[in-house]
Amino acid sequence: MTDSHSNNSHNRKRRRKKKKSNALLKVLLVIAAVVAIGYFAIGAIADRMYVKGEEVDEDIRTAAELQGDVMHILVCGIDWEEDRTSANTDVIMYVTLDIKGKKVSAFQIPRDTYIGDDVKTGGSGKINGVYGKNGNKNPIMDLAKTINDKLGLPVDHYATLDMEAFIKMVDGIDGGLDMYVPFEIVLKDKNTGKTETIIPEAGWYKVSGELAEQIVRNRNYPNRDIQRLEVQKYFYASVIKYFMENTSVSDFIKIMSRFTTHLTTDMHWTEIASIAQFGLSLDYADMTIVKPSLHGYDVIKEGKTSATNILVAEGENWARLLNEYCRPYSDDISAADLKIPTQPPKGEIVRDHSVTQSTITTIGDLLQSAK
């Protein structure tokens, strides 16, 4: 496993982009919260390998009069850890394709976001615990319906990937992925408390699938999930940069075909092809990642004996950002209309981590700042 720091990365000779490859690779930004779902699907189509899931329930889809103008896709990374009896959603992104306005936005929902104790989460109250615990035959529909109910957002399609897909994707790149990491990364064993520094400082690194997974899943920060989301943004940008500068479309499909069995989506190949056509018209400046404002707490919930970290939505901020980036042709709603909790659960607040401000970043901004 290689993690050597490349100090001269931005002086490397770049290959000339092929016009066709450049256009097609922009689809990478369209579906998977600005990472590879569109191309995952394209590679899967070629080999008939991806898992076709059940369709989203009609009652939570985009209104009929807006279909064709906008599409909303729930993109999640599914996490099975050895000590769990059920899966959690480790990454949650709500992707809005503004087809009429030729824009795409990915709204990041941190895994520790408090969703309320009226939803089954396995007792945590966090949104990452909703998956597969609320009675739907298709487990992702538990989360889709919760997002629809709590945030008033339609869900037209979904795409889920497990962590094995993540590792195989990076390992499919010859020599590893050149990834920009914005922070020092120090792992901490939750059982022993022992720490290990795997990234000593911000910069470009050559990473394997295993190392990339450790980097993007690390939560050993003062702000835990908040800084984790920032690292993930740069991972998306680094993946895009690699494919834009170093591969042909056939190379990309070859890499993707190695792990598409770990992809599940309800989308038919004709829908994916339509999304790909939409992606051809997009520019980096029209692709935005949105992180909302949250208030962090360590809380000992009623009936519990140990504290848990909770992120609570800032209602006014969430309403404004959702209206601007996720409801391009729907009526605005107020903070009072949202059902997501804006106060921590009942119990003892052990620590108040204060409010982290929202950030709105285009893919172009991320690539420009990764120096």
Side-chain angles (χ1 to χ4, degrees):
M1 180 172 64
T2 304
D3 61 357
S4 58
H5 189 192
S6 176
N7 293 318
N8 299 312
S9 60
H10 48 278
N11 294 322
R12 291 190 298 261
K13 181 178 180 181
R14 297 183 177 181
R15 297 184 183 180
R16 185 174 59 185
K17 300 175 186 175
K18 294 182 180 179
K19 184 176 181 181
K20 181 178 180 181
S21 176
N22 182 45
L24 285 173
L25 287 170
K26 287 185 179 180
V27 183
L28 188 65
L29 303 171
V30 177
I31 304 176
V34 210
V35 237
I37 290 297
Y39 273 113
F40 292 176
I42 290 173
I45 289 167
D47 296 291
R48 296 295 190 267
M49 291 175 64
Y50 79 98
V51 180
K52 180 67 166 63
E54 296 180 5
E55 294 184 357
V56 171
D57 293 355
E58 193 72 35
D59 61 346
I60 67 169
R61 295 184 184 181
T62 296
E65 63 270 19
L66 296 180
Q67 292 180 11
D69 291 339
V70 64
M71 181 183 294
H72 305 280
I73 304 172
L74 179 61
V75 181
C76 297
I78 307 300
D79 175 30
W80 282 92
E81 290 188 354
E82 293 181 0
D83 57 349
R84 287 183 183 158
T85 58
S86 61
N88 282 350
T89 43
D90 198 54
V91 175
I92 303 170
M93 290 183 283
Y94 182 84
V95 181
T96 297
L97 279 62
D98 180 354
I99 299 167
K100 184 177 179 180
K102 295 185 178 181
K103 296 179 181 180
V104 60
S105 301
F107 189 90
Q108 295 181 297
I109 304 177
R111 50 170 282 168
D112 284 346
T113 301
Y114 180 50
I115 198 64
D117 293 317
D118 57 324
V119 181
K120 292 180 180 178
T121 60
S124 71
K126 302 178 184 182
I127 196 168
N128 72 321
V130 173
Y131 178 87
K133 298 184 181 70
N134 286 267
N136 285 283
K137 181 180 179 182
N138 183 0
I140 194 62
M141 286 306 301
D142 289 336
L143 182 57
K145 288 187 173 183
T146 297
I147 287 174
N148 175 258
D149 176 56
K150 296 287 188 176
L151 300 177
L153 296 172
V155 178
D156 298 305
H157 298 290
Y158 62 85
T160 66
L161 286 163
D162 62 29
M163 295 312 297
E164 187 66 24
F166 176 93
I167 295 171
K168 287 185 176 180
M169 187 269 285
V170 176
D171 284 341
I173 298 171
D174 290 339
L177 173 68
D178 286 319
M179 177 180 174
Y180 183 79
V181 185
F183 310 119
E184 175 190 30
I185 305 293
V186 180
L187 304 183
K188 183 176 182 179
D189 188 293
K190 63 182 180 181
N191 296 317
T192 66
K194 183 179 179 180
T195 61
E196 176 189 4
T197 300
I198 59 173
I199 299 294
E201 60 182 337
W204 286 94
Y205 293 81
K206 183 77 73 175
V207 300
S208 66
E210 180 183 354
L211 180 58
E213 181 195 19
Q214 290 176 322
I215 292 169
V216 301
R217 296 187 67 190
N218 179 53
R219 301 171 70 224
N220 184 33
Y221 307 109
N223 287 326
R224 302 185 71 176
D225 263 7
I226 302 304
Q227 286 176 265
R228 183 176 185 257
L229 294 182
E230 292 300 312
V231 172
Q232 289 174 356
K233 289 179 185 179
Y234 282 96
F235 170 74
Y236 306 151
S238 298
V239 169
I240 293 161
K241 181 179 186 294
Y242 171 80
F243 285 113
M244 292 284 283
E245 297 181 4
N246 299 282
T247 67
S248 66
V249 174
S250 61
D251 292 332
F252 192 100
I253 291 174
K254 182 179 179 181
I255 293 171
M256 296 303 109
S257 67
R258 297 180 184 180
F259 65 90
T260 46
T261 51
H262 299 274
L263 164 69
T264 299
T265 179
D266 67 316
M267 290 182 279
H268 189 268
W269 70 266
T270 55
E271 293 171 305
I272 297 167
S274 178
I275 292 170
Q277 288 298 315
F278 168 69
L280 297 177
S281 65
L282 297 179
D283 189 71
Y284 288 150
D286 298 319
M287 303 170 186
T288 304
I289 302 178
V290 180
K291 178 183 70 63
S293 181
L294 296 121
H295 196 147
Y297 299 92
D298 288 341
V299 181
I300 302 176
K301 296 175 63 179
E302 289 186 345
K304 303 290 185 178
T305 58
S306 60
T308 184
N309 181 252
I310 289 286
L311 296 174
V312 179
E314 292 286 289
E316 293 292 341
N317 175 266
W318 279 57
R320 178 176 61 81
L321 294 179
L322 291 173
N323 288 336
E324 183 173 355
Y325 293 99
C326 304
R327 311 181 200 278
Y329 306 108
S330 302
D331 293 337
D332 288 354
I333 67 172
S334 68
D337 295 321
L338 299 177
K339 296 181 183 178
I340 191 168
T342 56
Q343 296 294 324
K346 293 180 179 179
E348 179 187 353
I349 296 176
V350 178
R351 184 178 178 186
D352 185 332
H353 293 277
S354 73
V355 176
T356 57
Q357 299 304 310
S358 58
T359 59
I360 297 93
T361 315
T362 69
I363 291 299
D365 292 336
L366 285 168
L367 293 174
Q368 182 63 32
S369 65
K371 300 293 187 180

mmCIF file of all heavy atoms in Angstrom, residues 31-32 37-38 41 45 50-56 71-75 97 156-160 263-273 275:
data_model
loop_
_atom_site.group_PDB
_atom_site.id
_atom_site.type_symbol
_atom_site.label_atom_id
_atom_site.label_comp_id
_atom_site.label_asym_id
_atom_site.label_seq_id
_atom_site.Cartn_x
_atom_site.Cartn_y
_atom_site.Cartn_z
ATOM 1 N N ILE A 31 -24.819 11.591 -11.552
ATOM 2 C CA ILE A 31 -25.692 10.700 -10.801
ATOM 3 C C ILE A 31 -25.218 10.493 -9.381
ATOM 4 O O ILE A 31 -25.940 10.765 -8.443
ATOM 5 C CB ILE A 31 -25.834 9.349 -11.524
ATOM 6 C CG1 ILE A 31 -26.333 9.590 -12.935
ATOM 7 C CG2 ILE A 31 -26.794 8.449 -10.810
ATOM 8 C CD1 ILE A 31 -26.423 8.355 -13.765
ATOM 9 N N ALA A 32 -24.007 10.021 -9.180
ATOM 10 C CA ALA A 32 -23.606 9.568 -7.853
ATOM 11 C C ALA A 32 -23.071 10.689 -7.018
ATOM 12 O O ALA A 32 -21.923 10.676 -6.656
ATOM 13 C CB ALA A 32 -22.599 8.482 -7.937
ATOM 14 N N ILE A 37 -21.730 7.128 -10.278
ATOM 15 C CA ILE A 37 -22.881 6.236 -10.451
ATOM 16 C C ILE A 37 -23.296 6.152 -11.918
ATOM 17 O O ILE A 37 -23.609 5.082 -12.410
ATOM 18 C CB ILE A 37 -24.083 6.687 -9.599
ATOM 19 C CG1 ILE A 37 -23.788 6.452 -8.123
ATOM 20 C CG2 ILE A 37 -25.334 5.917 -9.951
ATOM 21 C CD1 ILE A 37 -23.588 5.031 -7.736
ATOM 22 N N GLY A 38 -23.326 7.262 -12.634
ATOM 23 C CA GLY A 38 -23.716 7.211 -14.043
ATOM 24 C C GLY A 38 -22.834 6.271 -14.831
ATOM 25 O O GLY A 38 -23.317 5.443 -15.600
ATOM 26 N N ALA A 41 -23.157 2.596 -13.917
ATOM 27 C CA ALA A 41 -24.286 1.992 -14.615
ATOM 28 C C ALA A 41 -23.950 1.713 -16.067
ATOM 29 O O ALA A 41 -24.316 0.679 -16.614
ATOM 30 C CB ALA A 41 -25.497 2.911 -14.521
ATOM 31 N N ILE A 45 -24.118 -1.876 -17.710
ATOM 32 C CA ILE A 45 -24.983 -2.194 -18.842
ATOM 33 C C ILE A 45 -24.217 -3.027 -19.862
ATOM 34 O O ILE A 45 -24.730 -3.990 -20.417
ATOM 35 C CB ILE A 45 -25.502 -0.898 -19.493
ATOM 36 C CG1 ILE A 45 -26.512 -0.237 -18.568
ATOM 37 C CG2 ILE A 45 -26.156 -1.173 -20.837
ATOM 38 C CD1 ILE A 45 -26.853 1.169 -18.964
ATOM 39 N N TYR A 50 -24.999 -5.168 -13.159
ATOM 40 C CA TYR A 50 -25.516 -4.472 -11.985
ATOM 41 C C TYR A 50 -26.831 -5.079 -11.524
ATOM 42 O O TYR A 50 -27.546 -5.730 -12.285
ATOM 43 C CB TYR A 50 -25.656 -2.975 -12.264
ATOM 44 C CG TYR A 50 -26.865 -2.547 -13.068
ATOM 45 C CD1 TYR A 50 -28.001 -2.065 -12.440
ATOM 46 C CD2 TYR A 50 -26.855 -2.605 -14.460
ATOM 47 C CE1 TYR A 50 -29.096 -1.646 -13.165
ATOM 48 C CE2 TYR A 50 -27.945 -2.191 -15.192
ATOM 49 C CZ TYR A 50 -29.065 -1.708 -14.548
ATOM 50 O OH TYR A 50 -30.158 -1.302 -15.278
ATOM 51 N N VAL A 51 -27.134 -4.884 -10.243
ATOM 52 C CA VAL A 51 -28.328 -5.468 -9.644
ATOM 53 C C VAL A 51 -29.510 -4.526 -9.868
ATOM 54 O O VAL A 51 -29.466 -3.371 -9.452
ATOM 55 C CB VAL A 51 -28.129 -5.705 -8.134
ATOM 56 C CG1 VAL A 51 -29.393 -6.306 -7.527
ATOM 57 C CG2 VAL A 51 -26.924 -6.604 -7.898
ATOM 58 N N LYS A 52 -30.537 -5.016 -10.517
ATOM 59 C CA LYS A 52 -31.730 -4.208 -10.778
ATOM 60 C C LYS A 52 -32.670 -4.336 -9.591
ATOM 61 O O LYS A 52 -33.167 -5.406 -9.273
ATOM 62 C CB LYS A 52 -32.422 -4.679 -12.057
ATOM 63 C CG LYS A 52 -33.690 -3.902 -12.428
ATOM 64 C CD LYS A 52 -33.351 -2.464 -12.800
ATOM 65 C CE LYS A 52 -34.537 -1.779 -13.497
ATOM 66 N NZ LYS A 52 -35.720 -1.667 -12.645
ATOM 67 N N GLY A 53 -32.882 -3.219 -8.890
ATOM 68 C CA GLY A 53 -33.747 -3.217 -7.718
ATOM 69 C C GLY A 53 -35.188 -2.859 -8.053
ATOM 70 O O GLY A 53 -35.504 -2.463 -9.184
ATOM 71 N N GLU A 54 -36.046 -2.981 -7.057
ATOM 72 C CA GLU A 54 -37.453 -2.640 -7.247
ATOM 73 C C GLU A 54 -37.623 -1.138 -7.433
ATOM 74 O O GLU A 54 -36.853 -0.335 -6.919
ATOM 75 C CB GLU A 54 -38.269 -3.106 -6.036
ATOM 76 C CG GLU A 54 -38.274 -4.616 -5.850
ATOM 77 C CD GLU A 54 -39.089 -5.027 -4.639
ATOM 78 O OE1 GLU A 54 -39.726 -4.144 -4.020
ATOM 79 O OE2 GLU A 54 -39.080 -6.215 -4.309
ATOM 80 N N GLU A 55 -38.645 -0.754 -8.183
ATOM 81 C CA GLU A 55 -38.885 0.647 -8.475
ATOM 82 C C GLU A 55 -39.357 1.410 -7.235
ATOM 83 O O GLU A 55 -39.946 0.843 -6.318
ATOM 84 C CB GLU A 55 -39.906 0.793 -9.603
ATOM 85 C CG GLU A 55 -39.403 0.272 -10.945
ATOM 86 C CD GLU A 55 -40.397 0.527 -12.066
ATOM 87 O OE1 GLU A 55 -41.500 1.053 -11.778
ATOM 88 O OE2 GLU A 55 -40.075 0.205 -13.222
ATOM 89 N N VAL A 56 -39.106 2.711 -7.240
ATOM 90 C CA VAL A 56 -39.548 3.592 -6.163
ATOM 91 C C VAL A 56 -41.071 3.705 -6.194
ATOM 92 O O VAL A 56 -41.688 3.758 -7.259
ATOM 93 C CB VAL A 56 -38.907 4.992 -6.328
ATOM 94 C CG1 VAL A 56 -39.511 5.995 -5.357
ATOM 95 C CG2 VAL A 56 -37.401 4.907 -6.146
ATOM 96 N N MET A 71 -35.270 15.683 -11.963
ATOM 97 C CA MET A 71 -35.231 14.299 -11.470
ATOM 98 C C MET A 71 -34.444 14.285 -10.163
ATOM 99 O O MET A 71 -33.437 14.986 -10.022
ATOM 100 C CB MET A 71 -34.573 13.372 -12.490
ATOM 101 C CG MET A 71 -34.509 11.912 -12.059
ATOM 102 S SD MET A 71 -33.625 10.868 -13.279
ATOM 103 C CE MET A 71 -34.749 10.964 -14.669
ATOM 104 N N HIS A 72 -34.899 13.472 -9.199
ATOM 105 C CA HIS A 72 -34.262 13.401 -7.887
ATOM 106 C C HIS A 72 -33.830 11.963 -7.610
ATOM 107 O O HIS A 72 -34.648 11.038 -7.669
ATOM 108 C CB HIS A 72 -35.234 13.861 -6.799
ATOM 109 C CG HIS A 72 -35.794 15.229 -7.042
ATOM 110 N ND1 HIS A 72 -35.112 16.385 -6.746
ATOM 111 C CD2 HIS A 72 -36.980 15.625 -7.571
ATOM 112 C CE1 HIS A 72 -35.840 17.434 -7.060
ATOM 113 N NE2 HIS A 72 -36.976 17.005 -7.563
ATOM 114 N N ILE A 73 -32.542 11.788 -7.276
ATOM 115 C CA ILE A 73 -31.974 10.456 -7.073
ATOM 116 C C ILE A 73 -31.325 10.373 -5.690
ATOM 117 O O ILE A 73 -30.518 11.231 -5.318
ATOM 118 C CB ILE A 73 -30.921 10.128 -8.148
ATOM 119 C CG1 ILE A 73 -31.526 10.275 -9.556
ATOM 120 C CG2 ILE A 73 -30.375 8.713 -7.961
ATOM 121 C CD1 ILE A 73 -30.508 10.157 -10.671
ATOM 122 N N LEU A 74 -31.685 9.359 -4.934
ATOM 123 C CA LEU A 74 -31.084 9.107 -3.625
ATOM 124 C C LEU A 74 -29.898 8.173 -3.824
ATOM 125 O O LEU A 74 -30.046 7.058 -4.333
ATOM 126 C CB LEU A 74 -32.114 8.471 -2.690
ATOM 127 C CG LEU A 74 -31.630 8.111 -1.282
ATOM 128 C CD1 LEU A 74 -31.166 9.349 -0.533
ATOM 129 C CD2 LEU A 74 -32.741 7.396 -0.508
ATOM 130 N N VAL A 75 -28.705 8.635 -3.444
ATOM 131 C CA VAL A 75 -27.469 7.870 -3.624
ATOM 132 C C VAL A 75 -26.886 7.552 -2.257
ATOM 133 O O VAL A 75 -26.652 8.457 -1.457
ATOM 134 C CB VAL A 75 -26.451 8.660 -4.465
ATOM 135 C CG1 VAL A 75 -25.176 7.850 -4.659
ATOM 136 C CG2 VAL A 75 -27.047 9.042 -5.819
ATOM 137 N N LEU A 97 -31.225 16.585 -10.399
ATOM 138 C CA LEU A 97 -30.874 16.887 -11.770
ATOM 139 C C LEU A 97 -31.886 17.889 -12.309
ATOM 140 O O LEU A 97 -33.041 17.548 -12.569
ATOM 141 C CB LEU A 97 -30.903 15.624 -12.637
ATOM 142 C CG LEU A 97 -29.696 14.685 -12.600
ATOM 143 C CD1 LEU A 97 -29.497 14.111 -11.205
ATOM 144 C CD2 LEU A 97 -29.860 13.565 -13.605
ATOM 145 N N ASP A 156 -37.196 9.946 -7.048
ATOM 146 C CA ASP A 156 -37.568 9.249 -8.280
ATOM 147 C C ASP A 156 -36.820 7.943 -8.461
ATOM 148 O O ASP A 156 -37.369 6.970 -8.982
ATOM 149 C CB ASP A 156 -37.302 10.150 -9.492
ATOM 150 C CG ASP A 156 -38.128 11.418 -9.467
ATOM 151 O OD1 ASP A 156 -39.358 11.318 -9.363
ATOM 152 O OD2 ASP A 156 -37.540 12.518 -9.528
ATOM 153 N N HIS A 157 -35.558 7.937 -8.062
ATOM 154 C CA HIS A 157 -34.710 6.759 -8.236
ATOM 155 C C HIS A 157 -33.716 6.665 -7.092
ATOM 156 O O HIS A 157 -33.550 7.611 -6.315
ATOM 157 C CB HIS A 157 -33.950 6.833 -9.564
ATOM 158 C CG HIS A 157 -34.824 6.858 -10.771
ATOM 159 N ND1 HIS A 157 -35.556 5.777 -11.189
ATOM 160 C CD2 HIS A 157 -35.095 7.866 -11.659
ATOM 161 C CE1 HIS A 157 -36.236 6.090 -12.277
ATOM 162 N NE2 HIS A 157 -35.974 7.358 -12.565
ATOM 163 N N TYR A 158 -33.031 5.538 -7.012
ATOM 164 C CA TYR A 158 -31.986 5.348 -6.010
ATOM 165 C C TYR A 158 -30.834 4.565 -6.620
ATOM 166 O O TYR A 158 -30.988 3.856 -7.631
ATOM 167 C CB TYR A 158 -32.513 4.610 -4.776
ATOM 168 C CG TYR A 158 -33.021 3.214 -5.069
ATOM 169 C CD1 TYR A 158 -32.149 2.123 -5.108
ATOM 170 C CD2 TYR A 158 -34.374 2.985 -5.322
ATOM 171 C CE1 TYR A 158 -32.614 0.845 -5.406
ATOM 172 C CE2 TYR A 158 -34.845 1.716 -5.611
ATOM 173 C CZ TYR A 158 -33.962 0.646 -5.654
ATOM 174 O OH TYR A 158 -34.413 -0.606 -5.961
ATOM 175 N N ALA A 159 -29.681 4.697 -6.015
ATOM 176 C CA ALA A 159 -28.508 3.890 -6.359
ATOM 177 C C ALA A 159 -27.742 3.646 -5.067
ATOM 178 O O ALA A 159 -27.469 4.582 -4.312
ATOM 179 C CB ALA A 159 -27.620 4.610 -7.371
ATOM 180 N N THR A 160 -27.440 2.397 -4.783
ATOM 181 C CA THR A 160 -26.693 2.052 -3.574
ATOM 182 C C THR A 160 -25.449 1.247 -3.939
ATOM 183 O O THR A 160 -25.463 0.440 -4.860
ATOM 184 C CB THR A 160 -27.541 1.238 -2.577
ATOM 185 O OG1 THR A 160 -27.862 -0.046 -3.138
ATOM 186 C CG2 THR A 160 -28.828 1.978 -2.228
ATOM 187 N N LEU A 263 -23.392 -2.752 -7.082
ATOM 188 C CA LEU A 263 -24.280 -1.617 -7.335
ATOM 189 C C LEU A 263 -25.708 -2.102 -7.481
ATOM 190 O O LEU A 263 -25.977 -3.059 -8.197
ATOM 191 C CB LEU A 263 -23.854 -0.895 -8.616
ATOM 192 C CG LEU A 263 -24.864 0.071 -9.242
ATOM 193 C CD1 LEU A 263 -25.046 1.308 -8.373
ATOM 194 C CD2 LEU A 263 -24.420 0.466 -10.648
ATOM 195 N N THR A 264 -26.640 -1.448 -6.785
ATOM 196 C CA THR A 264 -28.070 -1.729 -6.946
ATOM 197 C C THR A 264 -28.780 -0.434 -7.293
ATOM 198 O O THR A 264 -28.587 0.585 -6.632
ATOM 199 C CB THR A 264 -28.669 -2.311 -5.650
ATOM 200 O OG1 THR A 264 -28.017 -3.530 -5.326
ATOM 201 C CG2 THR A 264 -30.167 -2.588 -5.842
ATOM 202 N N THR A 265 -29.597 -0.461 -8.338
ATOM 203 C CA THR A 265 -30.382 0.708 -8.723
ATOM 204 C C THR A 265 -31.685 0.250 -9.353
ATOM 205 O O THR A 265 -31.761 -0.841 -9.929
ATOM 206 C CB THR A 265 -29.613 1.608 -9.708
ATOM 207 O OG1 THR A 265 -30.435 2.721 -10.080
ATOM 208 C CG2 THR A 265 -29.199 0.856 -10.962
ATOM 209 N N ASP A 266 -32.714 1.074 -9.235
ATOM 210 C CA ASP A 266 -33.995 0.770 -9.860
ATOM 211 C C ASP A 266 -34.050 1.275 -11.292
ATOM 212 O O ASP A 266 -35.017 1.027 -11.995
ATOM 213 C CB ASP A 266 -35.137 1.403 -9.060
ATOM 214 C CG ASP A 266 -35.088 2.920 -9.119
ATOM 215 O OD1 ASP A 266 -33.987 3.493 -8.976
ATOM 216 O OD2 ASP A 266 -36.138 3.547 -9.311
ATOM 217 N N MET A 267 -33.016 1.996 -11.746
ATOM 218 C CA MET A 267 -33.059 2.626 -13.058
ATOM 219 C C MET A 267 -32.859 1.626 -14.197
ATOM 220 O O MET A 267 -31.958 0.798 -14.153
ATOM 221 C CB MET A 267 -32.014 3.734 -13.140
ATOM 222 C CG MET A 267 -32.342 4.943 -12.299
ATOM 223 S SD MET A 267 -31.115 6.275 -12.438
ATOM 224 C CE MET A 267 -29.854 5.667 -11.306
ATOM 225 N N HIS A 268 -33.698 1.749 -15.215
ATOM 226 C CA HIS A 268 -33.557 0.961 -16.431
ATOM 227 C C HIS A 268 -32.457 1.584 -17.283
ATOM 228 O O HIS A 268 -32.156 2.772 -17.165
ATOM 229 C CB HIS A 268 -34.892 0.957 -17.188
ATOM 230 C CG HIS A 268 -34.935 0.017 -18.339
ATOM 231 N ND1 HIS A 268 -34.594 0.400 -19.619
ATOM 232 C CD2 HIS A 268 -35.278 -1.294 -18.415
ATOM 233 C CE1 HIS A 268 -34.725 -0.628 -20.436
ATOM 234 N NE2 HIS A 268 -35.137 -1.668 -19.733
ATOM 235 N N TRP A 269 -31.856 0.787 -18.156
ATOM 236 C CA TRP A 269 -30.738 1.313 -18.941
ATOM 237 C C TRP A 269 -31.161 2.482 -19.819
ATOM 238 O O TRP A 269 -30.351 3.375 -20.111
ATOM 239 C CB TRP A 269 -30.100 0.207 -19.779
ATOM 240 C CG TRP A 269 -30.924 -0.297 -20.928
ATOM 241 C CD1 TRP A 269 -31.767 -1.367 -20.924
ATOM 242 C CD2 TRP A 269 -30.945 0.236 -22.248
ATOM 243 N NE1 TRP A 269 -32.332 -1.536 -22.148
ATOM 244 C CE2 TRP A 269 -31.849 -0.570 -23.003
ATOM 245 C CE3 TRP A 269 -30.309 1.298 -22.886
ATOM 246 C CZ2 TRP A 269 -32.117 -0.333 -24.343
ATOM 247 C CZ3 TRP A 269 -30.582 1.542 -24.229
ATOM 248 C CH2 TRP A 269 -31.477 0.733 -24.941
ATOM 249 N N THR A 270 -32.433 2.533 -20.255
ATOM 250 C CA THR A 270 -32.877 3.664 -21.078
ATOM 251 C C THR A 270 -32.910 4.959 -20.266
ATOM 252 O O THR A 270 -32.624 6.039 -20.790
ATOM 253 C CB THR A 270 -34.261 3.394 -21.669
ATOM 254 O OG1 THR A 270 -35.186 3.082 -20.610
ATOM 255 C CG2 THR A 270 -34.223 2.239 -22.658
ATOM 256 N N GLU A 271 -33.250 4.856 -18.963
ATOM 257 C CA GLU A 271 -33.225 6.035 -18.098
ATOM 258 C C GLU A 271 -31.799 6.498 -17.869
ATOM 259 O O GLU A 271 -31.508 7.705 -17.855
ATOM 260 C CB GLU A 271 -33.909 5.705 -16.766
ATOM 261 C CG GLU A 271 -35.400 5.446 -16.908
ATOM 262 C CD GLU A 271 -36.020 4.900 -15.629
ATOM 263 O OE1 GLU A 271 -35.519 3.875 -15.127
ATOM 264 O OE2 GLU A 271 -36.985 5.506 -15.153
ATOM 265 N N ILE A 272 -30.897 5.554 -17.694
ATOM 266 C CA ILE A 272 -29.494 5.894 -17.510
ATOM 267 C C ILE A 272 -28.946 6.569 -18.767
ATOM 268 O O ILE A 272 -28.207 7.551 -18.692
ATOM 269 C CB ILE A 272 -28.679 4.637 -17.168
ATOM 270 C CG1 ILE A 272 -29.158 4.055 -15.835
ATOM 271 C CG2 ILE A 272 -27.191 4.948 -17.098
ATOM 272 C CD1 ILE A 272 -28.651 2.669 -15.544
ATOM 273 N N ALA A 273 -29.326 6.049 -19.923
ATOM 274 C CA ALA A 273 -28.880 6.661 -21.178
ATOM 275 C C ALA A 273 -29.391 8.094 -21.302
ATOM 276 O O ALA A 273 -28.680 8.988 -21.767
ATOM 277 C CB ALA A 273 -29.358 5.824 -22.357
ATOM 278 N N ILE A 275 -30.057 10.128 -18.812
ATOM 279 C CA ILE A 275 -29.260 10.938 -17.888
ATOM 280 C C ILE A 275 -27.890 11.241 -18.488
ATOM 281 O O ILE A 275 -27.360 12.347 -18.354
ATOM 282 C CB ILE A 275 -29.130 10.206 -16.539
ATOM 283 C CG1 ILE A 275 -30.482 10.143 -15.847
ATOM 284 C CG2 ILE A 275 -28.107 10.898 -15.641
ATOM 285 C CD1 ILE A 275 -30.513 9.247 -14.634
#
